[in-house]
Amino acid sequence: HFGSSQFGSSSTFCQPARHASIGRFRETRIMLSPSALALLVFAAMFSVSEAGCPAGEGYPTSEDKTCVMCGAGTFSVEGSTNCTRCPAGTWSSVRGAVDISTCQKCRRGTWSSQEGAPSASSCHDCQPGRWGSEEGLASSSACTACLPGRWSSAYGATSVEVCNACPAGTWSGSRGAPSADTCMSCPEGTWSASSGASQPSSCAKCPKGTWSDRRGATEAGTCTACMPGTWGNAPGAPSAEHCIECSPGTWSDHSGANAQSMCKKCPKGTWSTESGADSSSSCTACDAGKYQPAIGQANETVCLRCAPGTYSAVLGASACSSCPAGTWNGDFEATTCNICPEGKWTHSAGAMRQGDCTPCVGTGCLPDASARVTIDVINLAVSVLSLEKQLDLRSAFAKDITSTCDVHESSGTKVSVTMAEDGSISAFVLGLSGSSANGLAA
């Protein structure tokens, strides 16, 4: 601002006005030429541009050099030409702020990525599944995520305590889960007693021989054992359909069998067509006159007929017995042997024709009033018996035989008992009266 000038003269008198950027001056009259006056005006304008703006003000644009008050969310120090924005994670509602101290941090549990935010409404809550324990978070990712196996539905959470553990029987592999819906139930055939599980491997599988159709099971007791007559070879079975039936010719009375070998085979002399049998009663004995030498057989055709010269008097025989000396048999599937006529004898076992019976002379012929008794005992393993038990058994047979033959025995010399490894028992009886050997046999 300039004072009066005198026109028509070669000199001009200037009176500078009071101005903040120029300072205070005493009123002085200076005589300047027009060219000097123009140079002075230019220098004054340049000096104002270099000095910048007062604190709290700045240029609105790079082209507009006019200092204006800084808006909310910004600040300016003395001499700056620009209004600086508050950093992300902060805000300020102050206009004409002179330093960064007016920029307030977003409270805990919130965040803001906006620079120069003018109000606290620019701070957003941490989303469900996340939390923030510090002020001034500058992005949503700065909110800490709940760990896998945990979840939170709260907005603006400030502590990890807000993260809830997935309940037992479930798991979750998600970080920052926003609800319990992310907790996946353990599938059928598995269970978990632990809360906060983060992997599907935390769901333990039901052991072999068991199954479970329950989702989200929390204890091993939900695993149900396969029924007797079945077995299971796969851990984590989701239903009873995974229990496999014992095959025909076998059976099992055991619950929770975990291998096919736990199905017991039907013994020799028997067979079974039943699948999933749960007791040995399913094993049917071959008829008398037949035998079956193998275990675990699955149909009746395996029962073979006894050949001529042999017989089977009992059900479920594993082998046919040869007709003893003094007898013969010419038929298949025989249950007994024919006795040679009186006075005749076969000197070897297994005779197949009556003609094999010859007059008894020499070795094998017993004195008058004597007899040879042969007894076949099925499934008697003599070799496993102790010597004491063998003696007791021979004494018991001797007593029964002498009683049956009506022989009065006190000295122990009228009967002699021998037991073979195959279970056959032979006895020689002396002192018979009133009966022939053939009569006793009949």
Side-chain angles (χ1 to χ4, degrees):
H1 174 70
F2 297 94
S4 60
S5 63
Q6 185 176 353
F7 295 94
S9 172
S10 61
S11 299
T12 301
F13 295 92
C14 299
Q15 180 180 355
R18 297 174 181 176
H19 193 281
S21 64
I22 299 177
R24 295 180 180 273
F25 295 86
R26 292 181 300 168
E27 183 177 336
T28 305
R29 290 183 179 274
I30 303 174
M31 185 167 59
L32 298 171
S33 66
S35 59
L37 178 62
L39 181 61
L40 179 62
V41 170
F42 176 78
M45 293 177 63
F46 179 78
S47 176
V48 171
S49 174
E50 286 298 310
C53 295
E57 296 184 6
Y59 295 159
T61 65
S62 59
E63 291 80 16
D64 188 350
K65 307 298 183 179
T66 304
C67 294
V68 297
M69 181 181 292
C70 292
T74 64
F75 65 92
S76 174
V77 298
E78 179 75 28
S80 175
T81 60
N82 296 318
C83 295
T84 303
R85 294 179 180 180
C86 289
T90 66
W91 63 276
S92 175
S93 61
V94 178
R95 293 174 56 82
V98 298
D99 59 48
I100 196 173
S101 64
T102 59
C103 299
Q104 302 183 52
K105 291 182 179 181
C106 290
R107 61 180 173 80
R108 293 192 307 151
T110 65
W111 62 276
S112 174
S113 61
Q114 180 181 348
E115 296 181 348
S119 67
S121 62
S122 299
C123 300
H124 307 288
D125 286 335
C126 288
Q127 292 295 298
R130 291 179 174 268
W131 55 278
S133 61
E134 298 180 359
E135 297 178 334
L137 300 182
S139 67
S140 60
S141 61
C143 297
T144 305
C146 290
L147 295 176
R150 295 180 175 273
W151 62 275
S152 171
S153 60
Y155 287 87
T158 61
S159 169
V160 69
E161 300 298 328
V162 76
C163 299
N164 304 299
C166 288
T170 66
W171 66 276
S172 174
S174 301
R175 293 181 64 88
S179 72
D181 293 340
T182 58
C183 299
M184 308 293 292
S185 294
C186 289
E188 295 90 343
T190 65
W191 61 277
S192 174
S194 302
S195 59
S198 60
Q199 297 179 344
S201 59
S202 64
C203 300
K205 293 181 178 181
C206 289
K208 293 179 180 181
T210 66
W211 59 275
S212 173
D213 59 0
R214 181 178 173 183
R215 292 181 61 83
T218 60
E219 58 182 1
T222 58
C223 300
T224 304
C226 289
M227 296 292 290
T230 65
W231 59 281
N233 63 350
S239 69
E241 294 177 356
H242 288 260
C243 297
I244 305 167
E245 292 183 333
C246 289
S247 57
T250 65
W251 60 278
S252 173
D253 58 358
H254 183 74
S255 295
N258 58 15
Q260 188 177 18
S261 60
M262 298 186 73
C263 296
K264 303 172 185 177
K265 294 182 178 182
C266 289
K268 296 177 180 180
T270 66
W271 56 275
S272 174
T273 60
E274 182 178 347
S275 296
D278 59 6
S279 74
S280 60
S281 62
S282 63
C283 302
T284 304
C286 292
D287 293 335
K290 294 183 178 181
Y291 73 102
Q292 196 280 99
I295 59 175
Q297 298 305 297
N299 58 73
E300 190 177 8
T301 59
V302 297
C303 296
L304 307 175
R305 297 185 301 169
C306 289
T310 65
Y311 73 102
S312 172
V314 296
L315 298 175
S318 61
C320 296
S321 301
S322 295
C323 288
T327 67
W328 62 277
N329 169 50
D331 299 322
F332 283 94
E333 205 171 330
T335 60
T336 186
C337 297
N338 302 305
I339 299 173
C340 289
E342 290 186 22
K344 292 188 177 182
W345 187 258
T346 59
H347 293 275
S348 61
M352 295 183 288
R353 297 178 298 277
Q354 185 175 3
D356 294 331
C357 297
T358 58
C360 186
V361 293
T363 304
C365 294
L366 299 177
D368 292 339
S370 63
R372 180 183 181 184
V373 179
T374 303
I375 302 172
D376 287 328
V377 182
I378 304 300
N379 297 326
L380 173 61
V382 176
S383 60
V384 301
L385 299 177
S386 65
L387 181 59
E388 182 180 0
K389 288 186 177 180
Q390 291 184 35
L391 292 173
D392 290 342
L393 189 59
R394 281 202 295 267
S395 297
F397 274 115
K399 182 178 180 180
D400 289 342
I401 292 171
T402 55
S403 175
T404 301
C405 294
D406 197 23
V407 174
H408 299 286
E409 172 64 272
S410 59
S411 61
T413 59
K414 292 187 176 181
V415 62
S416 172
V417 177
T418 302
M419 292 190 299
E421 289 295 326
D422 63 358
S424 62
I425 299 173
S426 297
F428 289 98
V429 184
L430 305 176
L432 297 175
S433 61
S435 300
S436 66
N438 288 348
L440 286 174

